[in-house]
């Protein structure tokens, strides 16, 4: 199974979660919310073959930590994966939008100048603005944008698909009617499972990386395909993305 957006370092007991990930052989993209956390994550997961660590600067933290953008860019040389980055236009974070935009523009520009990265993007209440930044950096030049927990409009979904974006979808997203509608219309060869754990929850409990497997039956129902076929598509999507 695959969890393409998980905050492994933010669980109450990361070592236990990582040990279980190793036991199950789950592929995990461990996103980070600050570039300083990248080092700690590398240490945590150095023994686990199927965990990849992304360097990030979460848009909700940009107001306090925008000066760490240089460290994000400097760390790009050490990983193919970037995240969590993006923009958050919700009321609490709208005041820092200009700063968020500057930070994201610099990171995506650095990705482009280093030959492209796989980038896990947050776009809550800012889908159009994130797509604008992808266009400015050059969708092909910046690498591969993966919109995590996308919650834009159908029109924005169409624009994102046209730009070549990928999508990571999780059980929490698929619990909402809007999330299911969006997932039903996504290009199936550019979708991956995620949990966004421990922020992503089910019934009030944090999702664990292996709970990403619940995405398969949900997508099978939405897409009208057998579960096994969806599971196969997810695996081949990951292989194509990272190869
Ligand atoms: Mn996240």
């Amino acid at each position: 199974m695959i969890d393409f957006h998980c905050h492994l370092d933010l669980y109450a007991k990361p070592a236990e979660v990582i040990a279980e990930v190793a036991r199950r052989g789950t592929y995990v993209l461990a996103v980070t919310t600050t570039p300083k956390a990248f080092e700690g994550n590398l240490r945590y997961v150095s023994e686990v073959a199927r965990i990849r660590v992304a360097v990030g600067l979460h848009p909700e933290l940009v107001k306090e930590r925008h000066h760490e953008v240089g460290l994000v860019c400097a760390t790009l040389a050490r990983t193919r994966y970037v995240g969590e980055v993006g923009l958050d236009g919700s009321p609490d974070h709208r005041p820092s939008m200009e700063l968020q935009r500057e930070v994201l523009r610099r990171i995506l520009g650095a990705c482009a100048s280093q030959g492209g990265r796989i980038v896990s993007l947050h776009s809550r209440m800012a889908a159009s603005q994130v797509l604008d930044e992808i266009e400015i950096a050059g969708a092909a030049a910046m690498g591969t944008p993966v919109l995590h927990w996308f919650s834009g409009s159908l029109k924005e979904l169409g624009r994102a698909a046209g730009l070549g974006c990928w999508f990571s979808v999780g059980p929490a997203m698929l619990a909402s009617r809007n999330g299911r509608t969006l997932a039903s219309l996504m290009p199936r060869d550019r979708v991956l499972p995620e949990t966004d754990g421990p922020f992503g929850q089910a019934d009030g409990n944090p999702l664990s990386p292996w709970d990403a497997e619940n995405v398969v039956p949900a997508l099978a129902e939405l897409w009208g395909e057998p579960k096994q076929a969806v599971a196969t598509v997810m695996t081949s999507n990951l292989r194509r993305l990272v190869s």
Side-chain angles (χ1 to χ4, degrees), residues 167 169 174 180-192 215-226 229-231 233-234 237:
F167 302 88
V169 307
L174 294 175
R180 284 196 299 275
T181 301
L182 288 164
S184 72
L185 297 169
M186 287 172 179
R188 298 177 190 182
D189 60 348
R190 284 187 259 145
V191 173
L192 289 168
V215 165
V216 169
L219 289 180
E221 194 187 329
L222 288 169
W223 293 352
E225 289 184 30
V230 173
V233 166
M234 296 296 114
N237 285 353

Side-chain angles (χ1 to χ4, degrees), residues 31-235:
V31 295
T32 52
T33 54
T34 79
K36 286 173 184 159
F38 177 82
E39 296 293 338
N41 272 253
L42 280 188
R43 268 196 305 276
Y44 272 146
V45 307
S46 58
E47 306 290 302
V48 185
R50 302 190 78 210
I51 301 179
R52 296 290 177 275
V53 183
V55 61
L57 182 51
H58 197 288
E60 291 176 11
L61 302 181
V62 160
K63 183 174 175 250
E64 316 290 322
R65 293 178 171 263
H66 53 94
H67 52 274
E68 293 179 28
V69 65
L71 184 54
V72 175
C73 296
T75 306
L76 291 183
R78 300 172 54 202
T79 177
R80 295 179 64 200
Y81 303 91
V82 175
E84 178 165 359
V85 296
L87 301 175
D88 191 301
S90 63
D92 282 356
H93 302 288
R94 207 174 297 148
S96 67
M97 184 54 82
E98 269 320 303
L99 207 46
Q100 292 182 46
R101 210 190 307 267
E102 269 175 46
V103 163
L104 182 61
R105 194 167 297 183
R106 208 169 134 197
I107 293 170
L108 296 184
C111 290
S113 67
Q114 296 201 30
R117 292 292 182 273
I118 295 168
V119 186
S120 186
L121 287 151
H122 173 113
S123 58
R124 182 168 60 197
M125 297 182 78
S128 287
Q129 293 97 315
V130 168
L131 297 176
D132 289 346
E133 294 307 314
I134 291 169
E135 272 192 339
I136 288 166
M142 58 151 284
T144 309
V146 184
L147 297 171
H148 119 80
W149 199 330
F150 184 75
S151 57
S153 65
L154 296 186
K155 197 173 164 198
E156 287 164 332
L157 175 65
R159 185 179 165 211
L163 279 171
C165 292
W166 287 56
F167 302 88
S168 56
V169 307
M173 171 179 170
L174 294 175
S176 85
R177 187 206 291 236
N178 189 47
R180 284 196 299 275
T181 301
L182 288 164
S184 72
L185 297 169
M186 287 172 179
R188 298 177 190 182
D189 60 348
R190 284 187 259 145
V191 173
L192 289 168
E194 69 162 39
T195 61
D196 201 18
F199 300 118
Q201 304 198 337
D203 306 319
N205 297 311
L207 290 162
S208 300
W210 46 91
D211 292 325
E213 71 187 8
N214 297 333
V215 165
V216 169
L219 289 180
E221 194 187 329
L222 288 169
W223 293 352
E225 289 184 30
K227 284 179 216 165
Q228 188 50 52
V230 173
T232 302
V233 166
M234 296 296 114
T235 306

